[in-house]
Amino acid sequence: MTGRGRLKIYFGSAPGVGKTYAMLGEAARRRERGTDLVVGFADPHGRPRTAALLDGLEIVPPRQGEMDVDAVIARAPQVAFVDEIAHTNAPAARNAKRWQDVEEILAAGIDVVSTVNVEHLESLADVVERITGVRRRETVPDGVVRRADQIELVDISPESLRRRLAHGDVYPPERVDAALADYFRVGNLTALRELALLWVADRVDDALARYRDEKGITRTWEARERVVVGLTGGPEGDTLIRRAARIAARAGRGDLVAVHVARLNDRPARLADGSPEALARQRALVEGMGGSYHQVTGDDVPGALIEFAQAVNATQIVLGSSRRSRWQYISGPGVGATVADRSGDVDVHIVTHDYAGKGRGLTTVARTSLGHRRLTTGWLLAVCGPPVLTGVLSLPGARLGLPTELLFFLTLTVGVALVGGLWPAIVAAVAGFLLLNWFFTPPLHTLTVAELENVFALLVFVAVAVAVATVVDLAARRSSQAARARSEATTLSMLATSVLRGEDALPELLERVRETFGLASVSLLERTGDTWEPIASAGADPCARPDDADVRVQVSDVLTLALRGRVLPAADRRVLAAFAYQAAAALDRQRLADQARQARSLAEGNKIRTALLAAVSHDLRTPLASIKAGVSSLRSDDVQWDPADEAELLATIEESADRLDRLVANLLDMSRLQTGAVRPLTRPMSIDEVLVPSLANVPGDQVKIEVPEDLPPVLTDPGLLERSLANVVENAVRHGGDEPVRISASEHGGMVELRITDRGPGVPDSAKSQMFEPFQRLGDRPRGDGVGLGLAVARGFAEAIGGDLHAEDTPGGGLTMIFTLPTKEGP
């Protein structure tokens, strides 16, 4: 086989939606059609209907529990079906991940069909963890899935999936209740489904853009409403952004895209005349409204704007009314009118604003670059102007004398120089010299000049005309260089701003490079031995090797920036080099941040382990020693204990056992909080239902309860709230002095406040936050009846159920602990 195989992926939102079933169903259908295929690996997960699809399919036997890659390649089928591409292989396997096995099979020219869930995408791992509370260790790089030739979404509603789970079609019966109450809650499944749909929608958007690019389609396809707003950096930008955002919102989840065209050459119609500060503010406004900001470069501002709108498949363009005064329109129709004339199927909105028609200054009409139109006009004037002027001056009665005629020809030459530059002006000067000599210098109709002063006059005319043309051309070139330098400075300023804003994520930075220089794709490649590995990329069909690039920038000995789409001029290389080094710096920062996170995790782990060892060495050994001493005394045959002494020893043993039980419970609770294993199951219930069991270990005469009967129910996990209340109340009783602890409750703004008030010594303000940290005791006392975890656990559980716990002084002395809990209706 030759070439690379094609990859198809069945993509789902959660386990049990039917990815493996769909994959094996395709295998059965293709086998019936005569396709040569094998099953490299498939796990039916104990589901009979899925296992039945394996009947009749050729299965490559696994090796050491993992897919036998060499056997699949040696078998050389047309298609290999490989389940769970994100799977982590056993340590003895050749590759760490199954997706690397799949890459080898694809490289051998074999097509692969596989499966993956949205939760396994590397870029979404932290999002999934926040939603479900579960950190997925098995992940696959997004690029692997994005490079798939076909992605098919396997979708099912959360309710249907939960019914399938309840019927035992996903997990064994003993796991169903826990799964329904934990990972497979409706909210979790709904959020995961939305993630999967959005990710596939973006992938479809990429495929559509790639197809349009391959087929050369520039006409807008209204697959999604996308509004592009053109920004100049002028004061009208805020108005345009808000207007465009309203248009996008009325379209129903339409996209808002802002673009600023940085001009390479200064032209009368320009969209790049604002300050970097204004553009930075407007960029923040766009992003705050959920839109995206882009910057592109171009000589023709309307053309660059339309080209960008077509590239993003825009359906509408929003521009502001021109700020130019009426007399300034003599230089051209302006950006808005030009864009409206060229927009084709894209609707153009010209939005009025407070600055319309109030002028932009004389620099708006200043011509500092020639361009195609001016060159053409200059050559026409150079060729046609001198003969026409000669004809006018040769009319009967129109002779004005040689000095005046020289001035007319000089004026024409200066005009040609102003319009067309050096060479048209030189042609006009030479033509004028010959025509003046032939028609106006005696003897007429010959190239002979009779008088010496006329010779000098003609020569001075030519010299002045050439000098003026040279000055005009030099000024135009200098202005063009200045405009390019300004464009480069704007781009570098934007890059520096993104650095200061902390925007150094590699994909976003590479996407900015691609947009700025109008490229098809940009890749950052890293050399590992003799091979190149893509670190990050932007755009369709990124380069896998530097040799595939149209432009490459060597960043370091092992890093190369590879660009595909067009060959860039040398003038763009300086800005490109700045982007390349920023990409390398972003990669270094990303890796350093990962190392720092690992170091912090290790440090936190060491801190907890050290504290646990200290707790075990003293706080846990103390009650154990009391229990052992009491039991040993009671079992001793050398002493005859009277009933009172025996009762005292038993009371000591019981007290020490209770103390030990509290310590171990707090340690276990703290470990659950540290590892993120606390996942509350909330439901509405009254405060009394939780308060009564939480006071089981507190003597009734030491607590006074004042809870109104009409208090609304709170939305909470009863087990976690009961544990939190017990810790706080027991702490208040222990340190609250002689008066009973008072427990009161009230409702404020959709939240219930539960206050535990004591009359003890209180806590200084400086120690109020410290008292909630693990392994802290008031005054950091080395001895006591706990390890300083009770309040830390209480706050952790309170936050886990959507509430809060904080402390404040009791009026008249003491400490008040305040629980804030959401009601059933919410705030």
Side-chain angles (χ1 to χ4, degrees), residues 606-626:
N606 289 332
K607 179 180 177 182
I608 295 295
R609 281 191 291 272
T610 301
L612 285 173
L613 288 173
V616 171
S617 66
H618 178 267
D619 296 280
L620 295 182
R621 289 177 61 186
T622 300
L624 284 173
S626 299

Side-chain angles (χ1 to χ4, degrees), residues 726-745:
N727 282 357
V728 172
V729 173
E730 290 173 12
N731 186 76
V733 170
R734 190 162 52 248
H735 302 288
D738 298 331
E739 294 187 25
V741 172
R742 179 172 171 265
I743 302 176
S744 60

